[in-house]
Amino acid sequence: MKIMLAFARQGIVLAFSYKIAYWMGLFNTIIKIFVFYSLWYFLHEQNPNIFPVSKEQILAYGVISVIISDLIEWWDGPHFYIGRQIRLGLITTDLLKPVYFPLQVFHLWTGNRIAKIVTTIFPAIIIVNLLLPLSLPHSILTVAQSVLSIFFAYLIVYSLNFLVGMLCFRTINMMGIMHAYHALIMLFSGMLIPLWFYPDWLRGVCELLPFSGLFYIPLSIYIGNIVEADAWNSIAFQFVWLLILIIVCQIVWLMTHKHLVIQGG
């Protein structure tokens, strides 16, 4: 446990290392919140009849999607870290440490996320609450379900990112794969566009994939579009996908470790 906490502290230190990057990140988050808020406000004002939820709910959906996006930071993470370590030839140092590599990366990234919560997420939430009128969950149960769903979303996106990171051991240039992977998340997760706007067949496909557990499920629970038993069923869906991904990560890592070829200088 002490070793794991050491990796978490390392992630926190790395997150605080670049002050300019921090201020730019906070500014970027606030700008994105105002852009999403303004966009959904304008669209709802133009034609409210196409929305299956109220204006307050869709505004909350847009704003919280930005906050969750910055919290789980799906576009960065283990896949970029692993790729960078391999490219720089530093992966051998990680593999020589007496800690199971997937857990090592997990605690390092979790420490980074803790720092992100303190330095960016909390300030952004405070600013949003002061400047923008947003609806809050209607009950403590909904808050608890939302927090649990967001926690599972973080674990799911970490697992997906780790699996993509494993491809770095097999290929030199990962940029094409990462762009395609990020496009899948933006399309199937409900981050940019809620899944209820999709055609029925496409929505059905999205709801079967783990990507819907990243944004659509936690956001729908938060705004009250998924409630009571349906909310618990959606959280159970996330949990099942998480178990599947953990098992796949374990298998893929063992296979990768057996056929490991170090590239770098």
Side-chain angles (χ1 to χ4, degrees), residues 87-229:
R87 187 172 64 255
L88 297 177
L90 301 175
I91 194 67
T92 51
T93 303
D94 292 334
L95 296 176
L96 288 173
K97 294 174 181 176
V99 181
Y100 186 54
F101 181 69
L103 285 180
Q104 178 186 148
V105 178
F106 173 76
H107 284 86
L108 181 65
W109 190 242
T110 299
N112 184 280
R113 295 301 84 208
I114 292 172
K116 184 79 171 185
I117 291 173
V118 174
T119 60
T120 302
I121 303 301
F122 281 167
I125 290 174
I126 292 172
I127 293 172
V128 167
N129 285 330
L130 291 175
L131 300 179
L132 300 178
L134 287 178
S135 62
L136 299 175
H138 61 273
S139 69
I140 296 178
L141 176 61
T142 302
V143 173
Q145 290 173 326
S146 300
V147 171
L148 180 60
S149 183
I150 293 171
F151 176 69
F152 282 153
Y154 169 71
L155 296 179
I156 289 172
V157 79
Y158 171 83
S159 301
L160 290 170
N161 286 351
F162 184 83
L163 286 174
V164 174
M166 288 297 95
L167 296 175
C168 296
F169 288 102
R170 305 285 183 171
T171 181
I172 297 176
N173 190 348
M174 279 289 297
M175 295 310 299
I177 295 175
M178 289 184 181
H179 287 321
Y181 166 62
H182 294 164
L184 289 175
I185 290 180
M186 288 189 287
L187 176 63
F188 292 122
S189 69
M191 179 192 68
L192 298 177
I193 303 174
L195 298 187
W196 60 67
F197 286 121
Y198 285 18
D200 291 340
W201 67 270
L202 182 56
R203 178 177 176 176
V205 172
C206 294
E207 290 178 343
L208 292 176
L209 299 174
F211 302 114
S212 64
L214 303 184
F215 288 94
Y216 177 71
I217 290 177
L219 288 170
S220 296
I221 292 174
Y222 180 88
I223 67 174
N225 196 47
I226 299 178
V227 296
E228 299 177 353

Side-chain angles (χ1 to χ4, degrees), residues 7-17 108 110-115:
F7 281 110
R9 285 196 298 270
Q10 182 182 353
I12 294 173
V13 170
L14 289 174
F16 281 104
S17 297
L108 181 65
T110 299
N112 184 280
R113 295 301 84 208
I114 292 172

